[in-house]
Amino acid sequence: MRISKAKILKYAAMGIIAACITTFFLKKEKFQGHPRDYAEIATEKIIRAATEYNSISFYVDGDTLSGFHYELIEAFARDHGWKAAITPEMSFDKRLEGLAEGKFDVIAYGILATSELKDSLLLTSPIVLNKEVLVQRKASSPTDSLFVKSQLDLAGKTLHVVKGSPSILRIHNLGNEIGDTIYINEIDKYGSEQLISLVAHGDIDYAVCDESIARAVVDSLPQIDINTDISFTQFYSWGVSKQSPVLLDSLNAWLQTFRNSSEFKLIYRKYYPPSGKK
């Protein structure tokens, strides 16, 4: 899926606007609630989902809403006779907070299973394969000291990530593996796509994000390099509160059937095209 430069700028701007709108409403109304399970959601017939605003998960294209996780949660709601209320939230920490407070019923975004997250979330069965990659600018010369050729070159570097991202644990482990410190700067007002744009335009030197998001924009930002892996390829899932076990069972039962459908295959190929076919 090729994304034009104009769309990249639009996504960045819309992502910032979405983050500001979300922050505004959170300040205006301190949500006082509790995590809902399947029965409460079925009574209201509305499932509330949080995701990130980017060109893979959820975005506005003209007067159309699109995105892999958007289309999946819409299909889940449709098949249960519900509506889906989707909130773009750029901070992973705020998605977790919203889930704990009952503002959201599900985080409809690729979550990497870590021991830390398993203590606070129930994760669905795997939905997509993905991995974390380093986003940097291409080398300006063969001796460019900023360019990272391998994970060993990350020693002493500062990597920017979305606040609360599960990739933080992986970066800490990577620091242990190379025997040196890798510094982390958590950003709470931008999502992955905005961090990539900041790298491309020289505002920051390094970011870490999902490979799928990076590949969706790399053709339109030819100055960036995404060829250094930060993690292995792993399965990513959605997350619900530990107080929502019946909702988890319902999501898993639906995913087991839906992943084998032609509709899922069409949606998947739309946002995760085979390598070299964008």
Side-chain angles (χ1 to χ4, degrees):
M1 181 176 61
R2 185 181 179 87
I3 308 296
S4 69
K5 187 171 183 179
K7 281 191 177 182
I8 294 299
L9 295 174
K10 180 178 72 175
Y11 294 146
M14 291 293 290
I16 294 169
I17 292 169
C20 292
I21 290 172
T22 302
T23 301
F24 174 79
F25 281 110
L26 284 174
K27 286 180 179 178
K28 290 287 287 184
E29 174 191 3
K30 178 64 176 175
F31 197 87
Q32 299 291 341
H34 64 277
R36 304 190 302 172
D37 207 349
Y38 186 91
E40 289 179 274
I41 300 168
T43 298
E44 188 185 12
K45 296 187 181 299
I46 297 174
I47 184 166
R48 301 192 289 253
T51 192
E52 182 177 296
Y53 191 97
N54 61 57
S55 57
I56 291 292
S57 300
F58 172 68
Y59 61 93
V60 180
D61 188 7
D63 59 356
T64 303
L65 295 176
S66 301
F68 176 76
H69 295 291
Y70 165 77
E71 293 200 33
L72 253 60
I73 195 66
E74 282 283 330
F76 173 77
R78 177 203 66 207
D79 290 349
H80 287 75
W82 303 345
K83 300 290 185 181
I86 301 167
T87 300
E89 176 52 72
M90 309 311 277
S91 167
F92 187 81
D93 273 356
K94 288 181 181 177
R95 287 176 224 148
L96 292 177
E97 290 172 11
L99 197 68
E101 295 169 353
K103 183 176 180 65
F104 310 129
D105 302 311
V106 57
I107 298 176
Y109 184 76
I111 302 173
L112 177 63
T114 65
S115 56
E116 185 179 47
L117 281 177
K118 285 180 179 178
D119 289 337
S120 57
L121 284 176
L122 294 174
L123 296 176
T124 67
S125 55
I127 296 175
V128 294
L129 277 168
N130 212 340
K131 63 181 175 181
E132 301 291 308
V133 297
L134 178 74
V135 180
Q136 62 179 328
R137 290 180 298 282
K138 290 178 179 176
S140 59
S141 70
T143 58
D144 186 346
S145 61
L146 284 177
F147 188 73
V148 172
K149 298 181 180 68
S150 73
Q151 293 178 347
L152 292 173
D153 294 335
L154 292 171
K157 300 291 195 299
T158 298
L159 310 185
H160 296 74
V161 301
V162 174
K163 187 173 177 61
S165 169
S167 64
I168 293 169
L169 179 61
R170 171 56 193 156
I171 295 170
H172 284 310
N173 290 339
L174 187 55
N176 293 331
E177 290 169 17
I178 67 174
D180 212 324
T181 302
I182 302 173
Y183 299 100
I184 299 171
N185 187 13
E186 296 185 58
I187 307 296
D188 64 357
K189 66 177 180 177
Y190 295 144
S192 300
E193 210 158 73
Q194 289 73 46
L195 293 183
I196 295 172
S197 182
L198 290 174
V199 172
H201 295 97
D203 297 294
I204 59 177
D205 292 323
Y206 311 104
V208 173
C209 73
D210 292 351
E211 182 188 37
S212 60
I213 296 173
R215 292 209 175 279
V217 302
V218 69
D219 285 350
S220 299
L221 296 172
Q223 66 269 49
I224 66 169
D225 177 277
I226 59 171
N227 294 315
T228 299
D229 293 346
I230 296 297
S231 73
F232 299 109
T233 299
Q234 295 172 277
F235 282 110
Y236 285 63
S237 306
W238 287 353
V240 302
S241 167
K242 284 205 162 185
Q243 297 180 47
S244 309
V246 182
L247 175 60
L248 178 74
D249 289 343
S250 176
L251 282 165
N252 282 338
W254 179 81
L255 284 168
Q256 184 175 2
T257 301
F258 192 72
R259 275 197 306 260
N260 294 320
S261 69
S262 58
E263 183 179 359
F264 176 80
K265 292 179 175 64
L266 286 172
I267 294 171
Y268 186 87
R269 285 197 296 268
K270 181 178 176 181
Y271 299 100
Y272 297 91
S275 179
K277 296 181 180 179
K278 297 183 180 179

